[in-house]
Amino acid sequence: MSGVINYAIGVLTEQRSVVTDCATYVAEVERFFALLRELADLILRQVHFADAMAERLLQGPLADAMAHAGQLALLRRLSGSPIQPEDFLAAAIDAERLGLDQPDARSPDSDWAEAPDGWISPAD
């Protein structure tokens, strides 16, 4: 994911070198969110929705990142650590919140067939 976000930054600036693996998972998470903040700042300063660059970003690296997020969700479900499904149209999305501090689901699905043992619905 860091590589895809790094590539998107390069689309808006100049080509960047390929990111290498971090020594730890924590370091990778920190790098990912730092890159995400850098990309968000560039998008705010340089990209307009009517701009062809916005379309290139969405159809290229951002679509790739969304596909990877879906793949990671699938792998988590298969490994027994699923992500709770929710209505993403109702999600608490905030362009300023680009880190691990994320809110709970606003509109989680009440029926979750893959829920871990002991899971209690927020609606209960």
Side-chain angles (χ1 to χ4, degrees), residues 48-116:
H48 304 284
F49 285 112
D51 191 349
M53 182 57 68
E55 188 173 334
R56 286 185 63 208
L57 284 173
L58 185 58
Q59 292 181 351
L62 297 181
D64 196 18
M66 289 182 275
H68 287 318
Q71 291 166 341
L72 290 171
L74 172 72
L75 290 172
R76 283 193 54 174
R77 186 171 61 244
L78 291 173
S79 71
S81 182
I83 297 170
Q84 182 179 5
E86 70 170 307
D87 178 355
F88 289 110
L89 292 176
I93 298 170
D94 181 350
E96 300 295 319
R97 191 183 304 114
L98 300 173
L100 284 175
D101 181 28
Q102 298 294 317
D104 291 334
R106 277 189 183 167
S107 182
D109 291 0
S110 57
D111 183 29
W112 185 14
E114 300 90 7

Side-chain angles (χ1 to χ4, degrees), residues 17-34:
S17 59
V18 175
V19 295
T20 58
D21 291 341
C22 286
T24 66
Y25 175 76
V26 171
E28 179 58 40
V29 170
E30 289 172 357
R31 176 175 65 181
F32 171 76
F33 284 117

